[in-house]
């Protein structure tokens, strides 16, 4: 038969001759058909299939394996300059040859991926003479033979050296064509064009091998130039690809519901995800649609003729929606702790398909369950999930079942919160967490574990103390406190919890010892030892109310025993404010600080009327007292001896001390502190010596008694009774300088330091206005024999005292220079020494240095004001430096000579009250002196302000030499 194929040899397989005859007839009858086929094949070669040679051959191999019903193998190699690609599976058959010879048809049937369809045109990128050899026969295609046949058949345009459609006319292979390689059923043989780089071609095939084994599940292995890749499924939904070096890459799969595609997620040997950084959509061959999802998608979607871009439309959208719906199921295939890695990373979409698919996947993650729930009941959709915003897995476990839809750990912390927020999860703020645990009834161990987790987060600065301000705290009494601030943390092992468990103290917030945690202290709770607990305002309030409660019928025994029990185990010093605790007395409940121990020494010195039901004090019930150590009872104020009141910041007197206001007002400045003994006014009149021995026998009362400007010393000095008189009215037996003013204290068996401390006088002093008035009375007492020097010193002491003169009543009788007592109406205060010459001593009252203030103190006139005298004689004026004797004295005494001079008189007299009086010296507008050592010496001593040295100056004027000075 001719090459035109009008008469085919009977030996041609697969009906190749008939196919050629039909095509040639069609070209001849429709000249444009030849051109259309040529152009179509050209477009496929340079367009959609230009770089898909291996992909298309692998698809054909997979289809053959599917048809045969067993996984197939594919091998590619270079043989004698030709590319030979062999596969197992169903051999070549007439429908396959027909499909090869058609640009618009395919042999695809059922679930095949498409065998011998238009994709076979990819071989034209490397050859124009492809051959297919199968164990059932073979066919060949040839550009040369097709051109010749078309020209011979009279096809318009053929035979002119132009391009022809190679794959339209199948030819029989030569008789000497070897069969497929052993073990293979079909082999495609492609004589490679000269410009094809054979090494690069095989290298490209090697790069595609793994992807093709994933995309084509009916291929079990691919061999390229001796390098073998194998596919296996070690577990359901898991695909493993083993490369030529033996390395295994694993992929977790999730098929689309109803078929038509599959998700592939790369995982490690433990099936932990290895998210992709970027990929392309596969249909199943790679497309140009870039994707940014962590997993790879194979989807059967409509493609443009180029097979590179998705053909937009409702069908594609529906398929992408189906794929997105399966994405959460893929996430559920991996361990809960790492599912978050399947959330698409933020960023700009890489293509329109990527944008559409990402939005669909994000919506599916929001609405379909895939996140592990902390309560382990069921997975939850991200759209209703709560994510703990701090990295505290232990805290997540504790909140399981408390916070609805809480995501399980370790999917917590800021990073997880941010990532899951992109799919609709809501962060769980610390305040919401605190609110969620409020009102819960949980075991104490649960609370302690909660505090452990929160403290770790606080130390890591994942949250602040302010955010935990309302954190619930279980209390000792079974209540749960909303917030630690103000709560008390009992020291572990202190035994306080047991002691406090039996008493109900309103408002006292004691943290249960089993949850006493450092976190609570950081949040405002106070670490409470015994002293802290006893100083708690709530306990103090209960103590303050205890007497009133007891007298109204409330049983306060438990409170009393609790306080005493706490004190019995701890430090008892420095505890104030517990004196109000109600304790049983002989008659009724009383404040502890109003009770005296039954065997106390204090009972021996108290007035009997000071004790009793309505008296200031009472005796503690004997039976109750026997149950507690005396130091414990004393620590809350029960008296064994005198008690001390202490206040380091007094503002005004308010301590219930006797005559306290008078003491306070007696001070020129408010005392810096109050340290005083109370109940001194309750001492029996005749028991003061014993009471004073008690005061001196204890350090604290002794300090109060000897406190400078203190109340106790002030009060005892005035109101205690020693032989019927207050201590201020006695002097020490050794203080003989005060004889006449005060009598010696009787011998009461008391030490001098105690007597001094209580005001018995050891020296001349004036304590206050009352003391001054007493001294003036004693000076004016005619029955007292007071020495002239003591009188002068007493007047000096009165002037040195800090007191208001107007608060004193002027005395009616005063002590004079003569040592006698004069009526104040007849007395004057000596204010200048020269007046002694004209006034009698029994009318003169003197103080130190002629101080005129004594006149104000005693309400007496000054002698100078009552003296009306004039110098009668005429003297001669001389300057001091003109007097040789005066100069000599000044040199001996190293005295500067005063300015001015003196008027010297042979006889100096003054006229006073109508009579003339001789005087040794006088001062009026001038200084006068008689011409004698006595007169001149006193005048010079006064003028030079050395009055105290007057007698020495007089002696030196008589004998102006060194021996006189030294003698």
């Amino acid at each position: 038969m001719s090459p035109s194929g009008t008469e085919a040899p009977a030996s041609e397989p697969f009906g190749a001759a008939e196919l050629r005859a039909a095509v040639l007839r069609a070209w001849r009858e429709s000249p444009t058909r030849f051109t259309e086929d040529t152009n179509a094949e050209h477009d496929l070669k340079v367009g959609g299939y230009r770089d898909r040679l291996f992909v298309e051959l692998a698809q054909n191999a997979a289809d053959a394996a599917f048809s045969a019903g067993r996984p197939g193998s594919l091998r590619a190699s270079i043989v004698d300059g030709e590319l030979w690609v062999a596969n197992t599976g169903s051999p070549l058959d007439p429908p396959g040859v027909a499909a090869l010879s058609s640009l618009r048809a395919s042999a695809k049937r059922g679930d095949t991926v498409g065998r011998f369809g238009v994709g076979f045109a990819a071989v034209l990128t490397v050859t124009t003479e492809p051959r297919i050899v199968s164990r059932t026969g073979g066919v060949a295609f040839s550009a040369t033979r097709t051109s010749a046949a078309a020209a011979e058949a009279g096809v318009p345009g053929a035979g002119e050296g132009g391009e022809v459609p190679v794959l339209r006319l199948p030819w029989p292979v030569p008789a000497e064509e070897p069969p497929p390689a052993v073990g293979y059923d079909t082999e495609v043989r492609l004589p490679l064009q000269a410009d094809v780089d054979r090494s690069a071609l095989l290298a490209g095939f090697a790069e595609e091998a793994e992807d093709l084994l994933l995309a084509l599940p009916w291929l079990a292995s691919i061999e390229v130039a001796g390098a073998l890749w194998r596919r296996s499924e070690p577990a359901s939904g898991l695909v493993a690809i083993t490369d030529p070096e033996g390395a295994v890459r694993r992929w977790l799969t999730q098929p689309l519901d109803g078929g038509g595609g599959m998700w592939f997620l790369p995982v490690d040997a433990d099936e932990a995800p290895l998210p992709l950084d970027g990929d392309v959509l596969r249909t199943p061959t790679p497309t140009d649609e870039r994707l940014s999802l962590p997993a790879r998608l194979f989807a059967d979607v409509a493609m443009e003729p180029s097979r590179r871009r998705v053909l937009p439309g409702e069908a594609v959208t529906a398929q992408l929606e189906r794929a997105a719906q399966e994405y959460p199921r893929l996430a559920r295939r991996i361990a809960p702790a790492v599912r978050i890695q399947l959330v698409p990373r933020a960023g700009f979409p890489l293509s329109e398909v990527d944008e559409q698919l990402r939005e669909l996947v994000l919506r599916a993650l929001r609405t379909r369950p895939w996140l592990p729930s902390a309560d382990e009941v069921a997975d939850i959709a991200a759209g209703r999930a709560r994510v703990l915003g701090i990295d505290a897995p232990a805290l997540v476990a504790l909140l399981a079942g408390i916070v609805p839809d809480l995501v399980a750990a370790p999917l917590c912390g800021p990073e997880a919160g941010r990532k899951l927020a992109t799919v609709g999860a809501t962060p769980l703020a610390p305040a919401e967490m605190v609110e969620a645990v409020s009102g819960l009834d949980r075991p104490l161990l649960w609370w302690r574990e909660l505090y452990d987790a929160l403290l770790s987060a606080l130390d890591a600065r994942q949250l602040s103390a302010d955010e935990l301000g309302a954190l619930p705290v279980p209390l000792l009494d079974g209540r749960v406190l909303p917030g630690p601030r103000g709560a008390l943390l009992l020291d572990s092992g202190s035994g306080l919890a047991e002691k406090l468990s039996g008493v109900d103290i309103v408002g006292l917030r004691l943290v249960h010892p089993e949850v006493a945690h450092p976190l609570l202290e950081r949040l405002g709770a106070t670490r409470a030892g015994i002293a802290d607990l006893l100083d708690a305002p709530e306990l103090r309030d209960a103590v303050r109310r205890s007497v009133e409660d007891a007298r109204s019928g409330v049983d306060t025994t438990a409170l009393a025993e609790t306080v005493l029990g706490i004190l019995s185990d701890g430090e008892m010093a420095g505890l104030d404010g517990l004196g109000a605790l109600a304790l049983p007395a002989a008659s009724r409940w009383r404040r502890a600080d109003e009770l005296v121990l039954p065997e106390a020494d204090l009972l021996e010195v108290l007035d009997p009327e000071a004790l009793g039901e309505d008296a200031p004090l009472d005796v503690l019930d004997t039976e109750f007292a026997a149950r507690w150590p005396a130091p414990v009872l004393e620590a809350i104020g029960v008296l064994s001896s005198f008690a001390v009141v202490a206040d380091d910041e007094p503002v005004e007197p308010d301590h219930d001390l006797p005559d306290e206001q008078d003491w306070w007002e007696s001070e020129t400045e408010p005392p810096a502190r109050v340290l005083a003994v109370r109940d001194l006014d309750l001492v029996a009149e005749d028991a003061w010596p014993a009471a004073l021995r008690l005061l001196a026998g204890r350090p604290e009362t002794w300090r109060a008694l000897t406190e400078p400007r203190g109340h106790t010393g002030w009060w005892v000095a005035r109101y205690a009774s020693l032989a019927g008189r207050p201590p201020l009215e006695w002097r020490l037996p050794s203080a003989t300088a005060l004889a006449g003013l005060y009598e010696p204290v009787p011998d009461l068996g008391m030490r001098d330091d105690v007597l001094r401390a209580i005001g018995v006088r050891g020296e001349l002093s004036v304590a206050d206005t009352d003391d001054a008035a007493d001294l003036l009375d004693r000076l004016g007492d005619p029955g007292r024999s007071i020495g002239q020097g003591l009188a002068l010193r007493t007047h000096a002491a009165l002037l040195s005292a800090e007191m208001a003169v107007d608060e004193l009543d002027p005395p009616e009788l005063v002590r004079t220079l003569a040592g006698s007592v004069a009526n104040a109406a007849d007395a004057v205060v000596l204010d200048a020494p020269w007046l002694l010459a004209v006034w009698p001593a029994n009318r003169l009252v003197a103080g130190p240095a002629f101080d005129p203030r004594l006149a104000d103190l005693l309400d007496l006139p000054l002698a100078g004001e009552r003296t009306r005298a004039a110098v009668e004689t005429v003297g001669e004026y001389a300057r001091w430096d003109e007097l040789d004797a005066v100069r000599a004295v000044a040199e001996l005494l190293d005295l500067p000579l005063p300015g001015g001079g003196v008027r010297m008189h042979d006889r100096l007299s003054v006229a006073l009250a109508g009579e003339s009086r001789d005087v040794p010296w006088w001062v009026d507008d001038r200084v006068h002196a008689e011409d004698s050592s006595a007169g001149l010496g006193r005048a010079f001593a006064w003028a030079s302000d050395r009055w105290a040295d007057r007698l020495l100056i007089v002696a030196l004027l008589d004998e102006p030499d060194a021996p006189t000075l030294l003698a």
Side-chain angles (χ1 to χ4, degrees):
M1 189 69 184
S2 67
S4 64
T6 55
E7 187 175 324
S11 61
E12 286 197 32
F14 313 120
E18 289 82 358
L19 290 173
R20 290 197 305 277
V23 171
L24 289 170
R25 187 168 48 252
W27 286 347
R28 190 171 51 250
E29 293 175 354
S30 177
T32 59
R33 180 68 178 270
F34 177 78
T35 303
E36 289 174 355
D37 287 350
T38 300
N39 292 337
E41 189 175 272
H42 176 81
D43 290 342
L44 291 174
K45 180 178 68 173
V46 301
Y49 295 94
R50 66 179 180 276
D51 54 1
R52 296 182 180 239
L53 171 60
F54 199 48
V55 171
E56 296 300 332
L57 295 176
Q59 282 184 307
N60 288 336
D63 185 62
F66 174 78
S67 297
R70 61 181 182 275
S73 297
L74 179 69
R75 185 181 73 177
S77 58
I78 300 296
V79 179
D80 296 332
E82 295 185 343
L83 174 64
W84 286 17
V85 181
N87 65 267
T88 62
S90 297
L92 189 62
D93 58 10
V97 174
L100 287 170
S101 304
S102 174
L103 294 178
R104 301 173 180 83
S106 174
K108 182 177 179 180
R109 299 291 186 270
D111 293 329
T112 63
V113 293
R115 186 185 183 202
F116 297 143
V118 293
F120 190 72
V123 301
L124 299 179
T125 59
V126 296
T127 187
T128 58
E129 306 290 332
R131 306 188 306 279
I132 301 176
V133 179
S134 184
R135 57 183 171 83
T136 56
V139 293
F141 295 93
S142 170
T144 302
R145 296 176 71 178
T146 296
S147 177
E152 183 179 349
V155 175
E160 298 177 0
E163 192 173 357
V164 297
V166 177
L167 300 179
R168 294 292 280 126
L169 302 181
W171 303 92
V173 294
E176 64 274 14
E177 186 78 30
V182 177
Y184 292 89
D185 297 302
T186 303
E187 193 164 42
V188 177
R189 296 170 178 170
L190 307 176
L192 296 175
Q193 298 175 147
D195 59 350
V196 175
D197 186 333
R198 289 152 177 76
S199 297
L201 183 65
L202 292 179
F205 289 176
E207 290 179 0
E208 297 179 67
E210 179 176 357
D211 287 346
L212 290 173
L213 286 175
L214 286 178
L216 306 171
W218 281 96
L219 282 183
S221 65
I222 293 178
E223 181 182 341
V224 177
L228 180 64
W229 285 261
R230 289 176 287 112
R231 171 193 172 108
S232 62
E233 295 187 12
S236 176
L238 184 66
V239 175
I241 306 297
T242 304
D243 69 12
E245 284 74 35
V248 179
R249 189 174 184 189
R250 297 167 179 83
W251 297 78
L252 205 62
T253 65
Q254 177 61 43
L256 306 190
D257 187 21
M262 184 174 295
W263 285 104
F264 284 86
L265 175 68
V267 294
D268 62 16
D270 298 322
E271 297 189 19
L274 303 171
L276 298 173
D277 288 333
D279 201 15
V280 295
L281 176 67
R282 298 166 189 265
T283 62
T285 55
T287 70
D288 288 348
E289 300 290 358
R290 297 176 62 200
L291 299 180
S292 60
L293 297 174
R296 174 172 295 174
L297 176 62
F298 290 84
D300 185 9
V301 297
M303 301 294 295
E304 293 179 351
S306 66
R307 303 296 297 169
R308 297 184 176 277
R309 293 289 182 183
V310 168
L311 187 63
E314 294 182 359
V316 171
T317 299
Q319 185 70 343
L320 293 179
E321 287 180 348
R322 290 176 57 230
Q325 293 300 306
E326 296 301 323
Y327 195 81
R329 292 183 181 173
L330 176 65
R332 295 175 66 178
R333 296 287 308 279
I334 60 177
V338 292
R339 291 179 188 176
I340 194 174
Q341 297 186 39
L342 265 68
V343 176
R345 58 181 172 82
F348 292 106
L350 302 181
S351 66
E352 292 183 2
V353 172
D354 186 40
E355 180 177 16
Q356 184 178 14
L357 184 57
R358 279 171 58 91
E359 291 180 358
L360 292 170
V361 166
L362 292 174
R363 184 172 67 187
L365 293 174
R366 282 194 298 270
T367 57
R368 297 178 70 85
W370 64 282
L371 283 173
S373 173
D375 58 15
E376 300 181 351
V377 174
D379 288 343
I380 51 179
R384 59 185 179 89
R386 305 301 305 276
V387 182
L388 184 64
I390 58 177
D391 188 9
L395 190 56
V396 174
L398 291 166
L399 296 175
I402 297 172
V403 177
D405 297 323
L406 181 65
V407 177
L411 300 183
C412 59
E415 183 178 354
R418 285 192 297 269
K419 199 159 190 178
L420 290 176
T422 64
V423 286
T426 305
L428 179 66
E432 293 180 278
M433 175 198 64
V434 170
E435 182 180 358
V437 300
S438 298
L440 290 180
D441 182 12
R442 286 292 189 273
L444 295 174
L445 178 60
W446 183 90
W447 288 105
R448 189 165 188 88
E449 291 175 349
L450 177 69
Y451 300 157
D452 283 338
L454 290 175
L455 181 59
S456 297
L458 191 62
D459 289 340
R461 299 184 178 180
Q462 297 188 66
L463 47 74
S464 68
D466 292 341
E467 294 174 307
L468 302 177
L471 183 68
V473 182
L475 301 184
L476 181 62
D477 58 12
R479 295 178 295 139
V480 177
L481 180 68
R485 187 168 298 279
L488 298 179
L489 300 170
L490 300 177
D491 288 339
S492 59
S494 65
L496 293 176
E498 293 76 8
K499 291 182 172 64
L500 290 164
S501 59
V503 62
D504 182 15
I505 300 175
V506 176
L508 186 62
R509 295 172 288 184
L510 298 174
V511 178
H512 198 289
E514 293 187 27
V515 295
H517 196 278
L519 172 70
L520 304 181
E521 197 169 0
R522 294 268 293 273
L523 300 180
T526 303
R527 181 66 61 179
I530 290 176
D532 302 307
L533 180 61
L534 292 176
D535 199 40
E538 297 80 6
L539 180 62
R540 294 302 178 100
D541 287 343
V543 168
R544 280 192 289 269
R545 296 191 310 269
S546 60
V547 171
E548 180 182 352
D549 291 344
R551 293 178 180 177
S552 65
V554 177
D555 186 0
T556 60
T557 305
L559 176 63
E561 293 185 347
T562 296
V563 173
L564 293 173
I566 293 172
L567 281 172
S568 65
D569 289 342
E571 177 62 46
M572 295 178 288
L575 297 173
D576 299 324
L578 297 178
L581 181 65
L583 296 180
S587 56
R588 61 174 181 165
W589 289 82
R590 296 286 294 266
R591 289 172 57 103
D593 56 11
E594 295 177 355
L595 294 171
V596 184
L597 291 173
E599 304 297 329
D601 293 338
L602 183 63
L603 293 175
E604 302 298 324
V605 301
L606 292 178
D607 190 310
E609 294 185 357
L611 299 167
E613 181 175 351
D614 297 320
L617 298 177
D618 205 346
V619 180
L620 180 65
D621 178 78
T622 303
E623 183 179 348
F624 187 88
R627 295 172 51 199
W628 300 100
V632 174
L633 294 169
E634 291 177 46
I636 61 171
V638 179
L639 301 173
S640 63
S641 185
F642 288 105
V644 174
V645 172
D647 186 355
D648 289 332
E649 297 183 1
V651 177
E652 58 185 30
D654 185 20
H655 304 91
D656 294 329
L657 299 171
D659 301 298
E660 183 179 18
Q661 186 68 42
D662 294 340
W663 161 67
W664 192 278
E665 293 176 352
S666 71
E667 298 290 334
T668 56
E669 295 181 3
R673 69 171 181 169
V674 173
L675 183 68
V677 178
R678 48 169 275 207
D679 302 324
L680 294 175
D681 54 337
L682 305 181
V683 175
E685 184 76 14
D686 59 353
W688 270 107
L692 291 171
R693 281 190 286 274
L694 284 179
L695 290 173
R698 300 179 69 197
E700 57 269 26
T701 52
W702 177 249
R703 279 195 299 271
L705 183 62
T706 56
E707 173 83 355
R709 297 170 57 201
H711 172 272
T712 300
W714 175 88
W715 193 91
V716 170
R718 286 159 180 77
Y719 299 103
S721 178
L722 300 180
R725 295 185 188 180
L728 275 179
E729 296 186 12
W730 299 106
R731 68 171 174 84
L732 297 174
S734 60
T736 55
L738 300 179
L741 272 178
Y742 300 98
E743 288 70 40
V745 66
D747 185 4
L748 301 174
M750 301 174 66
R751 305 190 313 267
D752 279 4
D753 60 334
V754 177
L755 294 173
R756 287 178 183 275
I758 64 174
V760 176
R761 298 179 185 270
E763 57 278 326
L764 185 60
S765 62
V766 182
D768 52 26
T769 304
D770 291 339
D771 203 16
D774 179 65
L775 276 173
L776 291 175
D777 289 343
R778 290 172 182 272
L779 285 173
D781 184 358
R784 293 183 178 276
S785 177
I786 300 175
Q788 293 172 310
L790 180 57
L792 288 172
R793 290 192 296 276
T794 302
H795 286 148
L798 287 167
L799 290 176
S800 299
E802 297 179 356
M803 60 183 179
V805 173
D806 56 2
E807 295 181 5
L808 281 173
D809 293 330
E812 295 180 358
L813 299 174
V814 294
R815 188 71 58 169
T816 68
L817 281 177
S820 60
V821 173
N823 194 304
D826 299 328
V828 294
V829 171
L830 180 65
D831 58 336
W834 58 88
L835 299 176
L836 284 167
V838 297
W839 282 91
N842 62 358
R843 292 187 63 192
L844 288 174
V845 180
F850 315 107
D851 194 332
R853 292 181 301 152
L854 185 61
D856 295 331
L857 178 69
L858 303 177
D859 197 20
L860 296 177
L862 293 170
E865 295 175 346
R866 294 295 179 91
T867 303
R868 300 291 183 264
V871 177
E872 295 180 314
T873 57
V874 177
E876 182 179 354
Y877 177 77
R879 295 198 342 249
W880 293 111
D881 58 4
E882 295 175 344
L883 300 173
D884 294 339
V886 170
R887 288 201 309 272
V889 170
E891 192 278 330
L892 283 169
L893 297 177
D894 193 22
L895 289 177
L897 290 171
V902 61
R903 189 167 291 278
M904 299 294 296
H905 299 259
D906 291 334
R907 174 177 169 267
L908 177 61
S909 63
V910 295
L912 180 67
E915 63 178 94
S916 179
R917 302 252 187 116
D918 290 338
V919 295
W921 69 295
W922 196 260
V923 177
D924 50 18
D925 294 338
R926 298 178 180 178
V927 179
H928 302 265
E930 68 176 5
D931 191 4
S932 67
S933 297
L936 182 60
R938 283 170 171 78
F940 178 63
W942 183 263
S944 60
D945 198 22
R946 292 291 290 267
W947 180 248
D949 296 327
R950 62 192 179 279
L951 298 179
L952 176 60
I953 292 172
V954 169
L956 289 173
L957 285 174
D958 286 334
E959 298 181 50
D961 54 24
T964 304
L965 173 65
L966 296 175

